Amino acid sequence: MDYKFKQIEEKWSKAWSDTEIYKVGEDPNKKKFYVLDMFPYPSGAGLHVGHPLGYIASDIIARYKRLNGYNVLHPMGYDSFGLPAEQYAIESGQHPAITTKKNISKYRKQLDKIGFCFDWSREIQTSSPNYYLWTQWIFKQLFESYYCNIENKALPITQLIEKFKSDGNKFINSPCDKNTPNFCSKDWNLWSEEKQQKILLKYRLAYISETVVNWCEDLGTVLANDEVKDGFSERGSYPVTQKKMKQWSLRITAYSERLLNDLESLDWSESIKEMQKNWIGKSEGLKLSFEIYGFKNQKIEVFTTRPDTIFGVSFIVIAPESKYTEIVTTTKQKNKIQKYCASSSKKSEKDRQTNNKKYTGIFSGSYAIHPITKKKLPIWISDYVLGSYGTGAIMAVPCGDQRDWEFAKKFKLKIPNVFSNVDTNEKAYTEKSATITDSDFLNNLDVPSAIKKAISYLNNKGLGTVQTNYRLRDAVFSRQRFWGEPFPVYYKNNIPYMVEDKKCVKLPKIDKYLPTKDGEPPLARANKSDWNIFKGDRMEYNTMPGWAGSSWYFLRFMDPLNKSSFVDIKKSDYWNQVDLYVGGAEHAVGHLLYSRFWTKFLNDRGFINFNEPFKKLLNQGMILGRSNFVYRKKGTNTFITYEKISKFNVSKVHVDIELVKNDILDLNKFKNWRSEYRNSKFLLNENGKYRCGFEIEKMSKSKYNTQNPDSLIEKYGADTLRMYEMFLGPIEQFKPWNTNGINGVHNFLKKFWKLLHHDHKFSVNREKLTTEEEIIINDCIKNVTKDIDKLMFNTCVSHLMTALNNLIKLKCNKYKVVKDFTRLLFPFAPFISSEVWEMLGEKELINDSGWPKYKMNLGELRPINLPISFNGKYRYNIDIDQSLSIEKIKEIVSSNPKTIHYLGSKKIKKIIIVPKKIVNIVF
RNA sequence: GCCCAGAUGGCGGAACUGGUAGACGCGCUGGAUUCAAAAUCCAGUUCUGGCAACAGAGUGUGGGUUCGAUUCCCACUCUGGGUACCA
């Protein structure tokens, strides 16, 4: 009988769904285990082969833990708000909800085929009002909270109001907007409701601030960084500028220190923790004030971590967008400066930091005064300084900072050297091991002592204050889009208020999914009657960002149908933290940091009883795809073939790999792909073809390089796909997709099936095991168990293969062996294992049949093979008894004729024996 | 630019805490079976030289530590991810 995977897989899929075998509930008698995948965004392209990689890994763990007696929560859902659906809606006019629904059902079908043990009764969709009602609710809690630095937690805003009433804000130690005034209780109590609200907004964890966005005038909309290529929009190639806009922000910076410290308690890879640490970017330093020459009361504040180099300052640089720019601009320089600021507003932050070989800048016309030497320092404006970090101004120390050095060289500014015995003529000295010189009271000190001394000196003189700075910025929480969570917010006299009670503000109907003519977000198109809730003068037009729904979904899975609360605290107490969270390393910072922030916040306010969401993290490496590119001549609709791009100024645009064969573009398909390409022109190569460029990069719908698993399942079955994806390599490693080896895994399953069949009938042998057979299965149990615990799924598959090969050699189909082997195989290939289990005649479900146990010492007394090396080079090996003493081994080895041969005329200096490992003869 | 990874045969990868580099699988070569093919089975397969025994080289590059380095240290190269509005 052949291995008919299709029949088997259909049979068990049906059985599992009919019996709801994966449905779980709280069970106080069992240990719980919560294993979660990062839920997918349901794109139109469907599931690609990269998605299941993580899902298969988590599925193996879920099944393994259940076999070990745990009550396992393993849910799945969809992160279903997002740009692609909206983009499709703009093009087709179809409501994103319809597209999303279609895509989800496609995903579901694909997921079901792979045989995952998800509890689908817990499915959630972030775009469903039943879900985003609670996303809105959490936002409201953030709005209704402030952060107290004394209690070091978020508290209800009502407590702050009480304090304002009695003492004003004199004793308040809370993060707030920079422009918050000082006031007393009298002020507060006299203020109008409006004025009070304005002040409160400066303290709330959700507040309104002015931030910079990518503005595309021609499209009349804000673009994601992803949609901007070299200063032009990816769609249509229109110019993009930076524009300030009022937006909701979340005060994540209040949590900087806790987000940093609590990393220690997490079982995450050091590299991910390192990335988060660097993202938070804590630095301790000094805030210094520089007076502006000729202005009595105007000062420029800078932040520096190197006050030891204070005597090396030769100029000041401010960011073009900084608040100082206006002050220091002199009439003479005004025109030039405005031009410069306009040109740098076209650059993205990344460009400003990347193109640092081409420093640009302009002299402001003003000077600052050195706080100690009282020397005049020219003030320059340059976009290598960012307005968003620190104070938006720096003291430039060209001898100690490479960027300042490059800038000084380019604009012929002085480079005073404050380091002894170091040459700073060729480059800056950025290490910290020199001695300070030419620096008055800091002379002859090493860097750390000089830093200390400089701090205390400047602090005592009132010239600077010690400050801890974080690179982390507050999170912008508004998007000028349609397909996202609407805010539960309305405006009265331009002051935002929350919609009360637990009602959901639903997305209103609108005629088009585009911004309005005045550049307002799409929701501004809705009439009053289009909103299910309308209050005040108008509703909020922005929607929430993609990460809103994903920042708390792991909590909703615990209690997905709850109508009175986002999650019942008894349930969140039971399921608690996610024990294992599996997902792509590309989320290393964004999603994981935001989730940690929301968890801490909800914990502060007493809604849950833990303050970190994910105990252990497994970052699966991405499956990489091969992307194709076309090259558009900048600002035109002409595409240049790959061979000729060096002659033009082009921007690189992803093209769907479906439209390309062997890197040659199908021009007709391309023209029909998107409306904007309909009238494209092409510059072809000598053969009259358009050749695309290619790159290996992450597999993603936005890169149009996805490959889907359906045809593989059709051809080989889900068990094979599951095992193959695991067999590809270590789960954390990045790997390009290719299907070359898949029949090896398929063969393995066929061989297993064949071993259990004789003359087309299932048969197993009931005899007792020989020692050899016992060792084979024992080793297999031992190796698979160890590696599954280490999440090394690829070697698990190898161990199963090795064991099977050995069993086939012995023609061993004995019941005891088959029973254990089947259970070992089950997490990896659940379909075939369930079928074999049934054929073995077992009564209980394989899912709960327990995990086989291995014997520790079996085979320990076998003779072992000991390699003998000479000066570290392996030459030959001997079989010896494991119980032999070191002395005895020495004797055997030195008298071996091969040893004498390899030594020749030389004498042994030393023999190193590592028991059970190696012998090294040094001569 | 900055932060984080990775690099081992023709290919995917293995090698526990520094101890026989190449497990397992693909591919390839030869053979068995077959009218033939598919499927299956057996043997071989890092490279160079050699009929072979064997010898030499070899884990991105260049150095270092060590009796011994894919593994530890230093300096580079290339590839990938993130870089705050893709998710």
Side-chain angles (χ1 to χ4, degrees):
Chain A
M1 203 172 106
D2 290 338
Y3 165 44
K4 289 184 179 152
F5 54 85
K6 216 169 179 175
Q7 255 177 34
I8 296 171
E9 292 181 6
E10 273 168 18
K11 168 181 162 187
W12 288 98
S13 290
K14 192 170 179 304
W16 293 333
S17 104
D18 287 351
T19 54
E20 294 191 306
I21 186 176
Y22 302 126
K23 202 169 171 173
V24 288
E26 298 76 54
D27 180 348
N29 299 318
K30 273 187 183 172
K31 279 183 288 180
K32 67 95 192 185
F33 194 86
Y34 186 3
V35 49
L36 183 67
D37 296 283
M38 290 183 187
F39 62 166
Y41 171 78
S43 79
L47 207 64
H48 64 68
V49 292
H51 288 114
L53 187 74
Y55 305 161
I56 295 166
S58 63
D59 200 69
I60 290 168
I61 292 298
R63 290 173 185 277
Y64 172 66
K65 287 288 172 183
R66 179 162 170 180
L67 282 168
N68 278 289
Y70 287 84
N71 191 27
V72 178
L73 178 58
H74 187 216
M76 183 47 89
Y78 305 96
D79 191 11
S80 47
F81 273 132
L83 268 185
E86 175 151 343
Q87 192 50 42
Y88 185 72
I90 291 170
E91 281 162 26
S92 68
Q94 194 170 62
H95 196 287
I98 299 172
T99 332
T100 303
K101 197 177 163 193
K102 244 187 237 163
N103 293 347
I104 284 178
S105 81
K106 187 171 175 184
Y107 265 61
R108 178 61 191 275
K109 269 184 203 142
Q110 288 181 300
L111 288 169
D112 279 347
K113 271 192 200 155
I114 307 176
F116 294 124
C117 59
F118 297 127
D119 176 0
W120 281 109
S121 70
R122 293 173 182 265
E123 175 185 336
I124 56 183
Q125 300 177 9
T126 55
S127 61
S128 144
N130 298 330
Y131 182 84
Y132 72 70
L133 155 65
W134 298 108
T135 310
Q136 293 178 354
W137 179 84
I138 294 172
F139 174 79
K140 277 193 255 183
Q141 305 314 308
L142 284 158
F143 182 82
E144 301 295 354
S145 303
Y146 77 106
Y147 200 85
C148 175
N149 282 336
I150 298 159
E151 291 196 39
N152 204 16
K153 65 193 275 203
L155 297 173
I157 199 91
T158 46
Q159 292 189 20
L160 188 66
I161 296 172
E162 289 308 313
K163 285 179 182 153
F164 286 170
K165 274 185 192 161
S166 57
D167 303 306
N169 67 352
K170 204 172 171 186
F171 304 113
I172 303 294
N173 180 358
S174 289
C176 61
D177 292 3
K178 279 180 189 159
N179 58 3
T180 311
N182 293 324
F183 58 87
C184 61
S185 58
K186 216 165 145 193
D187 298 332
W188 175 264
N189 294 324
L190 285 174
W191 282 336
S192 66
E193 145 84 11
E194 242 180 79
K195 173 88 189 189
Q196 288 181 343
Q197 285 301 330
K198 275 188 185 163
I199 293 292
L200 285 174
L201 201 52
K202 294 176 187 298
Y203 284 89
R204 295 180 189 275
L205 289 182
Y207 65 102
I208 289 179
S209 67
E210 215 166 46
T211 41
V212 177
V213 295
N214 299 312
W215 176 253
C216 182
E217 188 65 46
D218 296 78
L219 294 172
T221 187
V222 173
L223 295 177
N225 289 336
D226 218 45
E227 300 173 297
V228 183
K229 291 271 153 0
D230 314 318
F232 289 85
S233 64
E234 190 171 35
R235 279 177 286 122
S237 198
Y238 303 112
V240 175
T241 56
Q242 306 292 304
K243 186 183 159 188
K244 278 192 175 173
M245 237 184 191
K246 286 218 160 160
Q247 310 207 63
W248 284 103
S249 290
L250 302 186
R251 225 179 281 280
I252 187 175
T253 49
Y255 285 84
S256 306
E257 195 64 30
R258 283 166 66 190
L259 288 168
L260 188 66
N261 288 337
D262 293 350
L263 279 173
E264 237 170 86
S265 66
L266 298 174
D267 187 5
W268 295 11
S269 74
E270 284 308 313
S271 63
I272 297 272
K273 288 191 196 176
E274 191 67 27
M275 283 166 84
Q276 293 222 346
K277 260 183 216 164
N278 294 332
W279 185 267
I280 296 166
K282 180 177 181 174
S283 57
E284 275 156 346
L286 207 57
K287 200 161 85 177
L288 280 173
S289 297
F290 286 75
E291 271 178 47
I292 305 172
Y293 183 77
F295 291 79
K296 280 246 160 80
N297 297 317
Q298 299 283 11
K299 283 180 179 176
I300 292 181
E301 290 196 313
V302 303
F303 175 76
T304 178
T305 56
R306 294 291 303 273
D308 55 313
T309 60
I310 181 78
F311 291 94
V313 179
S314 59
F315 55 101
I316 298 288
V317 188
I318 60 175
E321 68 273 28
S322 117
K323 60 180 177 185
Y324 302 120
T325 305
E326 211 178 314
I327 304 167
V328 299
T329 299
T330 58
T331 344
K332 202 178 149 200
Q333 295 290 80
K334 197 165 183 181
N335 278 341
K336 283 190 206 162
I337 289 174
Q338 277 175 348
K339 234 188 224 165
Y340 179 73
C341 292
S343 83
S344 73
S345 81
K346 285 183 188 143
K347 294 191 207 167
S348 70
E349 204 166 278
K350 195 170 152 193
D351 283 339
R352 286 168 58 167
Q353 291 173 83
T354 305
N355 298 331
N356 66 353
K357 290 273 138 73
K358 305 173 203 151
Y359 280 89
T360 61
I362 186 160
F363 177 49
S364 69
S366 301
Y367 292 85
I369 300 168
H370 192 286
I372 302 171
T373 65
K374 305 294 177 195
K375 275 187 197 156
K376 272 167 83 180
L377 305 168
I379 301 172
W380 282 70
I381 300 169
S382 171
D383 57 21
Y384 84 93
V385 172
L386 302 177
S388 55
Y389 180 71
T391 61
I394 62 151
M395 59 176 222
V397 183
C399 68
D401 184 291
Q402 190 58 24
R403 291 164 304 178
D404 297 350
W405 189 92
E406 305 260 358
F407 192 82
K409 271 278 159 183
K410 170 140 187 195
F411 294 103
K412 304 205 167 57
L413 296 160
K414 281 183 206 152
I415 307 181
N417 188 0
V418 292
F419 304 110
S420 339
N421 300 322
V422 172
D423 179 15
T424 56
N425 288 318
E426 297 306 315
K427 62 173 189 192
Y429 177 76
T430 53
E431 287 147 64
K432 293 185 178 174
S433 36
T435 311
I436 304 291
T437 184
D438 284 344
S439 296
D440 197 343
F441 60 92
L442 298 176
N443 282 346
N444 300 321
L445 292 174
D446 57 29
V447 170
S449 341
I451 290 179
K452 255 191 212 158
K453 190 154 183 193
I455 289 176
S456 71
Y457 179 89
L458 292 161
N459 208 4
N460 289 342
K461 296 251 164 181
L463 298 168
T465 46
V466 179
Q467 199 181 45
T468 303
N469 242 25
Y470 298 92
R471 204 183 69 101
L472 182 70
R473 305 203 290 254
D474 276 343
V476 180
F477 201 63
S478 298
R479 298 291 182 269
Q480 294 68 42
R481 311 279 176 187
F482 173 74
W483 194 229
E485 297 86 348
F487 282 83
V489 171
Y490 64 93
Y491 289 86
K492 217 162 62 187
N493 297 327
N494 279 322
I495 295 188
Y497 293 90
M498 292 298 116
V499 172
E500 308 237 338
D501 65 40
K502 287 177 180 170
K503 259 191 195 158
C504 180
V505 176
K506 292 185 190 169
L507 276 171
K509 246 183 220 153
I510 55 174
D511 57 340
K512 268 188 202 163
Y513 304 101
L514 286 170
T516 66
K517 275 181 199 153
D518 320 324
E520 292 272 23
L523 294 194
R525 291 177 170 275
N527 297 314
K528 196 170 171 176
S529 59
D530 295 327
W531 292 89
N532 69 326
I533 294 172
F534 190 97
K535 283 183 150 181
D537 306 329
R538 68 169 178 95
M539 299 299 285
E540 169 72 55
Y541 296 148
N542 288 294
T543 53
M544 297 185 196
W547 52 270
S550 60
S551 294
W552 72 281
Y553 75 111
F554 50 92
L555 296 170
R556 189 65 180 171
F557 275 134
M558 300 171 182
D559 194 11
L561 302 174
N562 195 325
K563 290 208 165 150
S564 57
S565 162
F566 74 112
V567 60
D568 186 309
I569 198 153
K570 278 188 214 121
K571 293 194 177 176
S572 63
D573 280 349
Y574 177 78
W575 292 112
N576 216 269
Q577 288 167 291
V578 175
D579 295 283
L580 178 66
Y581 192 38
V582 182
E586 68 270 32
H587 299 283
V589 177
H591 161 61
L592 291 173
L593 203 64
Y594 295 133
S595 307
R596 295 182 60 217
F597 162 41
W598 281 34
T599 304
K600 288 182 188 306
F601 167 72
L602 291 168
N603 177 230
D604 283 355
R605 294 295 316 274
F607 299 118
I608 53 173
N609 288 319
F610 45 93
N611 69 358
E612 281 290 342
F614 315 120
K615 209 190 263 176
K616 186 180 171 76
L617 183 70
L618 170 61
N619 270 121
Q620 101 239 17
M622 269 171 285
I623 298 253
L624 303 176
R626 191 175 187 277
S627 309
N628 278 114
F629 296 93
V630 291
Y631 302 87
R632 174 162 51 199
K633 200 174 148 194
K634 274 209 182 140
T636 71
N637 211 7
T638 302
F639 292 86
I640 314 290
T641 187
Y642 181 70
E643 290 91 338
K644 299 183 180 173
I645 51 171
S646 55
K647 293 172 192 151
F648 298 89
N649 186 12
V650 294
S651 54
K652 191 166 77 172
V653 182
H654 276 96
V655 60
D656 197 322
I657 53 169
E658 293 287 311
L659 315 176
V660 181
K661 207 172 177 184
N662 298 327
D663 292 336
I664 302 298
L665 183 68
D666 185 319
L667 300 181
N668 284 328
K669 277 190 189 167
F670 179 72
K671 285 181 179 176
N672 290 325
W673 185 36
R674 283 191 192 164
S675 53
E676 61 171 298
Y677 296 143
R678 197 152 297 150
N679 301 313
S680 303
K681 297 201 175 76
F682 301 93
L683 182 64
L684 304 173
N685 65 13
E686 284 152 11
N687 305 324
K689 305 267 188 203
Y690 187 97
R691 177 173 291 275
C692 298
F694 74 90
E695 260 169 46
I696 305 288
E697 56 182 354
K698 83 171 179 185
M699 190 175 279
S700 156
K701 64 268 172 186
S702 64
K703 301 190 188 300
Y704 304 106
N705 62 356
T706 58
Q707 308 245 5
N708 86 46
D710 299 0
S711 58
L712 292 174
I713 294 179
E714 186 64 27
K715 197 166 170 193
Y716 299 102
D719 278 340
T720 299
L721 178 80
R722 290 170 63 106
M723 291 198 86
Y724 181 60
E725 291 221 10
M726 293 300 99
F727 192 55
L728 273 177
I731 190 88
E732 319 86 325
Q733 208 160 87
F734 291 68
K735 43 202 162 254
W737 179 249
N738 79 77
T739 53
N740 287 346
I742 194 164
N743 54 347
V745 172
H746 189 63
N747 248 342
F748 160 78
L749 294 175
K750 281 206 293 201
K751 285 194 287 190
F752 176 50
W753 191 258
K754 206 170 137 190
L755 181 68
L756 306 178
H757 287 82
H758 276 280
D759 295 331
H760 304 286
K761 266 188 201 147
F762 179 80
S763 81
V764 286
N765 183 327
R766 300 266 163 185
E767 281 166 36
K768 230 183 127 192
L769 302 187
T770 65
T771 317
E772 205 178 353
E773 290 162 344
E774 206 168 335
I775 287 172
I776 290 172
I777 191 69
N778 192 64
D779 279 355
C780 188
I781 299 171
K782 189 157 80 187
N783 291 333
V784 172
T785 309
K786 278 186 178 163
D787 285 358
I788 213 169
D789 282 329
K790 284 190 270 183
L791 309 175
M792 289 167 56
F793 304 107
N794 56 326
T795 48
C796 286
V797 177
S798 301
H799 296 316
L800 290 166
M801 286 174 164
T802 307
L804 184 69
N805 287 346
N806 290 333
L807 293 173
I808 289 174
K809 257 180 222 152
L810 300 177
K811 297 201 171 93
C812 166
N813 62 344
K814 289 184 184 161
Y815 171 77
K816 254 203 97 207
V817 167
V818 174
K819 190 175 167 183
D820 282 350
F821 189 85
T822 305
R823 286 188 292 171
L824 294 177
L825 182 64
F826 175 69
F828 300 87
F831 293 104
I832 192 174
S833 312
S834 297
E835 183 71 9
V836 169
W837 190 256
E838 190 182 69
M839 292 189 300
L840 283 172
E842 301 302 317
K843 294 256 158 55
E844 99 201 287
L845 276 173
I846 186 167
N847 305 62
D848 299 309
S849 62
W851 187 251
K853 302 273 176 288
Y854 59 89
K855 291 179 200 146
M856 231 20 226
N857 305 321
L858 193 64
E860 283 260 302
L861 295 172
R862 280 175 291 176
I864 57 154
N865 188 267
L866 197 63
I868 315 297
S869 59
F870 292 74
N871 283 345
K873 184 156 182 66
Y874 162 76
R875 288 297 181 179
Y876 71 96
N877 61 59
I878 50 171
D879 283 325
I880 56 154
D881 208 274
Q882 289 195 49
S883 58
L884 285 184
S885 71
I886 289 193
E887 283 311 310
K888 188 82 190 151
I889 296 174
K890 241 180 211 178
E891 219 180 290
I892 295 173
V893 170
S894 25
S895 61
N896 190 297
K898 283 188 182 165
T899 300
I900 293 158
H901 168 251
Y902 283 111
L903 277 175
S905 58
K906 298 201 179 82
K907 276 195 178 143
I908 296 176
K909 278 189 191 151
K910 195 159 67 167
I911 297 183
I912 293 158
I913 296 177
V914 185
K916 295 185 195 180
K917 286 271 162 75
I918 202 167
V919 175
N920 191 18
I921 298 170
V922 186
F923 61 86

